[in-house]
Amino acid sequence: MRTNSRLNWMALAGFFSALVALPFAFAAERQPASPGMAAMTVTAVGKKDAAPAAVNKDDIQLTVGKERKQIASWERAGKLDLAILIDDSLDPSVAGQWNDVRAFIAAQPDTTSIAVGYAYNSTVYVAQDFTSDHALAAKALRIPRGYYSGGSSPYLSVIDWLKRWPESGNRGSLLLISSGIDYFRGGFGPVYPDVDTAVSQAQKANVNLWNIYYPGSGHFARSMFLVDKGQLNLSKMTLETGGESYYLGFAAPVSFKPYLDELQKHLSNQYLLSFSGDTAKKGKYVTARLKTELPDVELLYANQAYVQPSQ
C-alpha cells in the first residue's frame, strides 16, 4: 500500500497558501565527494506497484536550473547505510509492529549497514550504531517511553543524526517512525521551524528520508489539528529529500508490513547519479530535475542537490 507524498505536498501547499546522544564510532573512513561534484540517489518506481524496468544513463535527462547538464555517472546503487529512527514519544503500542520491522531488517542484503536510534529530548540516543550484523540491529528495538519523553522534536533529532552521518560514499536512507508532532518548537506556523534544516542537511549528505506515521502518546497527541500538521510536515520533509511518507488517516496502521514491503522495493531499485556543478569556492545547493521517457517509470529524488566546494 502506498501513499503518494507528491499529492500530500500539493495538499500542504494548499493548506499553507534530557539524554545526550551517544557518540558514533563508524568503521568506514570519511570519503567526501569530489570537489565541484554533486551526488544524488534516485529511486525508480514502477506504475501500479509493478517492478520498474532497468534505467540506463541514456534514459535520463538532467536539468539544473534552466540548463541541460551532462550526467557524469549513473550506476545501480550498491552499499547502503540505513538508519531506523524511532520517536520515543510514540504510543508504546507501536512495539506490536516490531516483528514486521525485525523481518524488514533481516531481509536487507549483506551490503546494507543498519543503525537503530531513538528520538529523545530533540537528539538521538543510538541504541545500535551502523552494523552489517542485522540480528544485532534487530535486538536494539524496544518499547518507546511514550508520554514521558514529551517536549521533544523529531526534526531536531533527524538533524542531529544527519550531522554525524558517515561520509562513506554509500547511498543513505533514514526511516523515521513518528507522529511528526514537534513538542519542543512547534509554534503556530504551518511549517515546523526545523523541517527545512532537516531537508537541507539530508540533501547535503545525500540521504533519502522516509516516514511511517504512528500516533504519539497522551491526550495532546490526539489533537486532529496537530496530527494533520505533523503528517503534512513529514510529507514535506520526505518529498523534498527523495523519499515518501506512509499513513492512512489519523489512526494507527494495522500493520507496518505493506509500508516496509514497498520501502524494500524502493531501496532495491536505486541509482547513484553524479554531475559537475559550476566552479565555486563554497558549496551550494542547486535545483535539479530529472526526466525519463521510459514508460511506466517514475523517478523519486531530492528537489535540490549539494555541489561540493571546488577547492
Side-chain angles (χ1 to χ4, degrees), residues 165-176:
W165 199 268
E167 292 188 24
S168 59
N170 303 335
R171 60 193 166 119
S173 276
L174 187 155
L175 170 62
L176 171 66

Side-chain angles (χ1 to χ4, degrees), residues 100 106 113 116 169 176 180 208 259 287:
D100 287 340
S113 294
V116 176
L176 171 66
N208 302 133
Y259 303 147
T287 300

Side-chain angles (χ1 to χ4, degrees), residues 178-180 211-216 221 227 231 234 246-247 249-253 256:
S178 174
S179 69
N211 164 254
I212 295 178
Y213 167 80
Y214 200 88
V227 172
Q231 290 181 346
L234 290 170
Y246 300 101
Y247 53 86
F250 295 169
F256 279 4

Side-chain angles (χ1 to χ4, degrees), residues 58-211:
D58 293 340
D59 297 322
I60 300 296
Q61 296 178 7
L62 169 65
T63 303
V64 177
K66 296 182 179 180
E67 179 184 359
R68 178 78 175 271
K69 296 284 289 186
Q70 183 176 359
I71 297 174
S73 66
W74 172 269
E75 58 185 21
R76 192 69 178 250
K79 293 183 178 181
L80 170 67
D81 297 323
L82 172 63
I84 299 174
L85 178 58
I86 300 164
D87 194 331
D88 232 351
S89 69
L90 292 182
D91 191 290
S93 63
V94 71
Q97 305 284 350
W98 284 175
N99 283 340
D100 287 340
V101 178
R102 291 187 185 97
F104 170 74
I105 291 174
Q108 301 309 306
D110 294 340
T111 52
T112 296
S113 294
I114 302 176
V116 176
Y118 292 84
Y120 185 89
N121 281 355
S122 301
T123 185
V124 176
Y125 174 86
V126 181
Q128 174 56 57
D129 208 343
F130 285 98
T131 177
S132 58
D133 186 338
H134 299 163
L136 189 62
K139 289 180 180 179
L141 296 173
R142 61 162 172 78
I143 300 174
R145 291 182 172 88
Y147 177 76
Y148 297 101
S149 65
S152 183
S153 166
Y155 307 100
L156 286 174
S157 295
V158 169
I159 293 168
D160 180 46
W161 210 342
L162 289 172
K163 286 181 177 179
R164 296 177 284 153
W165 199 268
E167 292 188 24
S168 59
N170 303 335
R171 60 193 166 119
S173 276
L174 187 155
L175 170 62
L176 171 66
I177 303 175
S178 174
S179 69
I181 298 175
D182 186 336
Y183 296 97
F184 180 60
R185 278 161 47 88
F188 296 98
V191 178
Y192 286 130
D194 302 296
V195 171
D196 287 335
T197 302
V199 168
S200 62
Q201 288 285 345
Q203 292 170 345
K204 185 175 183 179
N206 189 24
V207 175
N208 302 133
L209 301 181
W210 313 84
N211 164 254

